[in-house]
Amino acid sequence: MKNSGDSTVIDVPPTAASSKKKAVVSTAAPGQASGGVKRGLSIFDFVLRLGALGAALGAAAAMGTSDETLPFFTQFFQFEASYDDLPTFQFFLIAMGIVAGYLALSLPFSIVCIVRPRAVGLRLLLLILDTVVLTLATSAAAAAAAIVYLAHDGNTSTNWLAICDQFDDFCQKVSGAVIGAFIAALLMMFLVLLSAFGIRNTH
């Protein structure tokens, strides 16, 4: 209390309620910024899923239509190359179908993460499933790449002849399918890293 002439000034100490209000005001801005970053990561996650879905569908379509028949044939043989002649290519087509189906089904969950950027449980679920599907896509692409390499260059030790000189269209389609599968796997790798980064920033 201070006396100044005829007036009296009373000093009132700050209360706990006013201190809490100041603390809330000071911490609101960083929280909003963090939410904006998480929403941006979720939007990027959605875009990556769309890109990976397109690559997986393209790879499956290219492999499924890889069928070529040479214009000449004999009385007993008809020269034809198709993906279903090789179990590796059949596995590749099934795997890419599963990858594309999963990515399509995961899009609504990715939208939920955009709306609710702090949904940690959903991000963790997507991280686990993305890792499993990434493993499937990588194994299918690697197995098919080995067969495509043999189709282009052959292997003299095992008497595996190169067939791409004769079946040019077939080799172009299966090669494009393998490239699309590796693109899908690369995008899914970024998805896994992005999900892990988003979960890390949540805590």
Side-chain angles (χ1 to χ4, degrees):
M1 178 182 297
K2 298 179 181 178
N3 292 326
S4 177
D6 295 334
S7 62
T8 302
V9 180
I10 300 175
D11 295 330
V12 179
T15 62
S18 62
S19 301
K20 290 182 180 179
K21 289 181 180 179
K22 291 180 181 180
V24 170
V25 171
S26 63
T27 57
Q32 292 177 355
S34 177
V37 171
K38 292 183 178 65
R39 183 169 284 106
L41 291 176
S42 299
I43 294 173
F44 190 43
D45 177 275
F46 182 78
V47 173
L48 285 177
R49 288 182 190 280
L50 284 178
L53 174 60
L57 284 176
M63 183 61 73
T65 57
S66 60
D67 188 2
E68 183 180 3
T69 302
L70 297 182
F72 55 88
F73 56 91
T74 65
Q75 183 179 0
F76 303 101
F77 296 101
Q78 185 177 14
F79 299 95
E80 180 182 7
S82 178
Y83 79 92
D84 54 5
D85 294 330
L86 295 167
T88 302
F89 286 163
Q90 293 178 6
F91 165 69
F92 177 90
L93 181 60
I94 295 172
M96 285 298 106
I98 294 174
V99 171
Y102 162 75
L103 289 170
L105 292 175
S106 69
L107 289 178
F109 295 98
S110 182
I111 294 175
V112 172
C113 288
I114 296 175
V115 178
R116 300 178 58 189
R118 298 181 184 277
V120 182
L122 188 55
R123 287 181 181 273
L124 181 60
L125 176 63
L126 288 177
L127 173 62
I128 295 172
L129 294 178
D130 287 346
T131 305
V132 174
V133 176
L134 171 62
T135 305
L136 178 63
T138 305
S139 61
I147 301 299
V148 170
Y149 172 79
L150 291 176
H152 278 281
D153 296 335
N155 191 325
T156 56
S157 300
T158 58
N159 293 324
W160 187 299
L161 301 177
I163 64 171
C164 286
D165 292 337
Q166 292 79 26
F167 297 96
D168 184 61
D169 292 340
F170 172 79
C171 287
Q172 285 184 1
K173 286 187 176 181
V174 296
S175 298
V178 170
I179 292 174
F182 275 115
I183 292 175
L186 181 63
L187 293 177
M188 292 198 65
M189 189 182 302
F190 282 116
L191 280 174
V192 171
L193 294 176
L194 195 66
S195 297
F197 182 74
I199 294 175
R200 179 180 178 273
N201 281 353
T202 304
H203 298 285

